[in-house]
Amino acid sequence: MKMNSKNNNDIKIHTDQGGLIFTILLNGVLFYYVNRLNELKDCECAKDWRKDYLYYYTMAVIGVSVVLLIGNGKINQNVLMPIAMLRLVGGLVAFYCIFTYMRELRDNCPCAIEDKKNKNLNEFFNIYTGFVIVLMLISVAFMISMLFQKK
């Protein structure tokens, strides 16, 4: 979602179809992985609140993204603003969950990654979170350099 503003009283949220499709695909893969972890009945170390959070978060994000994709800009802006704020906060919590939980599974829970598909999915999300962190650090460094740039 992009926010454009002509003035402070006129905030309009635009939904980017490519971004929504990427969101649906990424959260679909995460939902698939979490479901695979839910099927591991004898793996006590995989049971965690972060897995449960990711399960419900991915379902909600996929649902909202599909509605936004189908709505194609015809959804009331007063509805989109709270959704955008909830996705921001929920997304930050989800990122924390992915970052910490996936590493914990990799390092301390062999039964969760003994299956090759689970191991590959776990590694994908470890690489993904590392990539996002590097992008955020580059963005912050760029913003700081712009702040100190002489005019």
Side-chain angles (χ1 to χ4, degrees):
M1 284 189 210
K2 297 179 188 173
M3 291 179 58
N4 289 341
S5 177
K6 294 178 183 172
N7 60 43
N8 289 340
N9 298 327
D10 184 27
I11 296 177
K12 191 160 180 81
I13 300 175
H14 299 281
T15 55
D16 176 38
Q17 288 184 336
L20 289 172
I21 292 169
F22 176 77
T23 299
I24 292 168
L25 290 174
L26 182 66
N27 281 281
V29 172
L30 182 57
F31 183 75
Y32 173 74
Y33 181 43
V34 170
N35 271 332
R36 288 182 59 86
L37 293 173
N38 282 334
E39 293 171 1
L40 300 173
K41 300 299 179 202
D42 296 330
C43 188
E44 289 296 316
C45 55
K47 294 178 181 172
D48 193 280
W49 70 269
R50 294 170 291 188
K51 177 176 59 91
D52 298 333
Y53 178 84
L54 291 170
Y55 178 82
Y56 294 109
Y57 172 80
T58 55
M59 282 196 305
V61 167
I62 291 169
V64 167
S65 297
V66 167
V67 168
L68 291 173
L69 197 59
I70 292 170
N72 200 20
K74 297 180 178 100
I75 297 173
N76 186 320
Q77 298 297 314
N78 293 328
V79 172
L80 286 177
M81 184 60 81
I83 289 173
M85 297 308 292
L86 284 172
R87 281 195 56 198
L88 174 67
V89 173
L92 291 173
V93 174
F95 187 80
Y96 164 79
C97 290
I98 294 169
F99 184 79
T100 59
Y101 183 60
M102 297 302 163
R103 281 163 177 70
E104 187 172 313
L105 289 178
R106 179 190 65 199
D107 298 339
N108 302 319
C109 191
C111 57
I113 59 169
E114 64 188 11
D115 177 84
K116 184 175 176 146
K117 198 175 275 190
N118 281 0
K119 185 175 184 171
N120 290 340
L121 288 165
N122 182 280
E123 193 59 34
F124 169 78
F125 284 108
N126 279 309
I127 291 169
Y128 169 76
T129 55
F131 180 71
V132 170
I133 288 172
V134 167
L135 285 179
M136 288 191 311
L137 290 173
I138 290 170
S139 297
V140 169
F142 179 73
M143 286 187 267
I144 290 172
S145 72
M146 295 297 288
L147 201 94
F148 291 111
Q149 209 173 38
K150 293 186 179 184
K151 294 180 182 182

